[in-house]
Amino acid sequence: MQTSTQGSVLANRNFRLLFGGSTVSALGDQFTLVALPWLVLKLTGDPAALGLVLAAMALPRAIFMLIGGAVVDRMSPRRVLLAARGVNALLVSLLALLVWTGAINMPLVYAIALGIGLSTAFAYPASSSILPQLMEPTQLAPANALIMGMRQLSVFVGPLLAGLVIGTGAHAAVTRGPADAHGLGLAFGIDAVSFLASLGSLMMIRLHTDDHPRRTQGSVLAAVAEGVRGVWADVPLRAFILYVGAVTFFVGGPIQVGLPVLADTRLDLGAASLGILMTANGGGMVVGGFLSKLAARVVRGRLGLMVLCIDGVVGLGLVWLGTVHRTWSGAALLATTGVLAGMAQIAIISWIQQRVSREMMGRTMSLLMFTFMGLGPVSAALAGGLLKFISLPALFAGAGLTLSAIALGCLANPVLRGIGAPLPAEAAG
């Protein structure tokens, strides 16, 4: 039955186009995710500067994410995504050119980071809103499984390749620019080229809302307010988004800043260490994605209970991560935590997509994404500043213990604990 369902998903031409273009683009994205923090550290040697660059992306993302969700609900999400990814492609191409020519400097990095943050504020809610328009509700779970599996596979392969590409800069003769400039420019260039696959596939996809935009009343800001009210009225969804926001603020930043600093200052393979760490985590998430259906069956649909227990264990793993000195020890640890995290993702996203109406999908997903994509880099800026006063092991220990404390404390909340299972209040309604 599972094979038949997945076969019907791949029989959808629009889905095949979306899946193919997203696969190449997601792999390319990993090159920038590794190269950008490495570039900042090579230019400045300052973790606080890395935190500020991540915050520069977060500021426009945080301001415009909810507006982006409202725009997606009023227009064709395909056209919004096409425009946003086109801007992203130009910015990454410019970054590659500046690094190659040795003209890159921190003011330019901050400006490009601001532009990337603004474009992704529209890209993320648009990409999350396309799938429910392409697929029947019963096909969302297998479609999400394929797309998230592809993304996790890109996280498994991409960072390792990116680390190896960047590492070539250590042996190239470069007279201008930062250390590893040759490899960094090549990494950004690969990501820029990968956007062509995504843009090409999006041009061939057709959605009903392309020619029949939704009839809307009121301003974009009024639509944003309506979306916030809708999520707030859904008690389980509200509780989950608030939980994700708390975890992201206290834990996301230390991880974003801590991993590049760990690879640069304590591990043995330089940029390759960062790629291996991210690859190990992505590979673990691939395995976790395959196990997610079995895990949900074991917990009998109580996805909230599963997420809270997993986060409690992952927090202890972060404490341990701060003590490692060898790349492969850190990779083994991150692979394990990746398995645990991957087990919950597909079921949670499918639960949200099935719960929310299409008319509210863009705004709902923008609220969810705001909690970790908007707050995460702000947290990273604070974490970068903290590293001036505390050690890296102390940063990881504080983040890990905070995660475990939040997760274990929320186990007492019956709404969060029961996400994914029918609640008495819902049954009564």
Side-chain angles (χ1 to χ4, degrees):
M1 177 66 89
Q2 185 178 2
T3 302
S4 176
T5 303
Q6 290 183 348
S8 63
V9 169
L10 292 174
N12 185 318
R13 174 184 177 273
N14 283 332
F15 177 76
R16 291 198 307 272
L17 288 169
L18 179 67
F19 182 76
S22 298
T23 297
V24 178
S25 182
L27 183 61
D29 287 344
Q30 299 305 313
F31 284 78
T32 291
L33 289 175
V34 174
L36 185 59
W38 201 255
L39 171 64
V40 174
L41 290 177
K42 296 298 106 176
L43 284 172
T44 68
D46 186 1
L50 173 57
L52 289 175
V53 169
L54 295 175
M57 286 192 290
L59 182 61
R61 183 184 294 159
I63 293 173
F64 289 98
M65 180 75 78
L66 300 182
I67 294 176
V71 169
V72 167
D73 284 339
R74 299 163 74 92
M75 299 175 59
S76 163
R78 183 190 70 88
R79 290 177 176 170
V80 175
L81 183 59
L82 192 61
R85 285 189 173 169
V87 171
N88 247 338
L90 291 175
L91 290 171
V92 176
S93 299
L94 176 61
L95 188 56
L97 181 63
L98 290 170
V99 172
W100 266 325
T101 59
I104 191 65
N105 55 51
M106 284 307 298
L108 289 173
V109 172
Y110 287 126
I112 292 173
L114 282 168
I116 291 174
L118 179 60
S119 64
T120 52
F122 292 84
Y124 282 119
S127 62
S128 298
S129 299
I130 287 179
L131 194 61
Q133 291 196 33
L134 294 181
M135 317 304 298
E136 297 295 330
T138 56
Q139 294 180 316
L140 282 174
N144 275 314
L146 284 174
I147 288 181
M148 295 183 70
M150 170 271 297
R151 289 175 181 169
Q152 290 162 0
L153 186 61
S154 73
V155 175
F156 176 68
V157 176
L160 178 59
L161 294 176
L164 294 175
V165 167
I166 295 170
T168 63
H171 308 290
V174 178
T175 58
R176 301 179 61 190
D180 298 346
H182 177 79
L184 285 166
L186 184 57
F188 290 125
I190 290 172
D191 188 20
V193 172
S194 75
F195 274 109
L196 297 178
S198 175
L199 294 173
S201 67
L202 286 170
M203 288 179 181
M204 292 187 285
I205 290 174
R206 289 294 178 267
L207 298 179
H208 178 75
T209 50
D210 286 340
D211 302 314
H212 303 85
R214 300 185 182 99
R215 294 183 178 180
T216 56
Q217 296 180 346
S219 65
V220 170
L221 293 180
V224 170
E226 181 187 7
V228 173
R229 288 194 299 269
V231 170
W232 192 259
D234 188 326
V235 177
L237 186 56
R238 178 182 72 197
F240 178 71
I241 289 180
L242 290 175
Y243 170 77
V244 171
V247 169
T248 301
F249 183 77
F250 289 106
V251 181
I255 295 175
Q256 288 187 52
V257 172
L259 282 182
V261 174
L262 177 68
D264 189 35
T265 61
R266 301 185 64 187
L267 299 184
D268 48 344
L269 300 176
S273 290
L274 179 58
I276 290 170
L277 292 179
M278 295 176 66
T279 291
N281 187 249
M285 293 183 71
V286 172
V287 175
F290 285 114
L291 297 176
S292 62
K293 188 173 183 179
L294 174 62
R297 187 182 302 124
V298 170
V299 298
R300 298 181 180 179
R302 293 190 178 274
L303 304 178
L305 177 64
M306 180 172 67
V307 169
L308 294 174
C309 291
I310 284 174
D311 283 352
V313 174
V314 169
L316 299 179
L318 290 178
V319 176
W320 187 8
L321 183 62
T323 68
V324 302
H325 289 83
R326 293 189 175 276
T327 301
W328 298 110
S329 299
L333 179 59
L334 287 175
T336 302
T337 58
V339 170
L340 296 174
M343 286 167 58
Q345 282 195 358
I346 293 172
I348 285 289
I349 294 298
S350 297
W351 172 74
I352 293 174
Q353 288 178 335
Q354 291 178 349
R355 189 178 188 89
V356 177
S357 67
R358 290 187 179 184
E359 291 74 18
M360 295 286 291
M361 187 65 65
R363 284 164 284 181
T364 300
M365 297 308 295
S366 70
L367 275 171
L368 177 61
M369 292 172 185
F370 168 81
T371 58
F372 57 91
M373 293 180 180
L375 295 179
V378 175
S379 172
L382 297 175
L386 276 176
L387 281 177
K388 291 181 177 293
F389 306 100
I390 66 175
S391 67
L392 186 62
L395 181 70
F396 278 121
L401 292 175
T402 300
L403 175 57
S404 295
I406 292 174
L408 294 177
C410 287
L411 281 173
N413 185 315
V415 175
L416 272 173
R417 193 175 62 243
I419 281 178
L423 297 175
E426 291 176 336

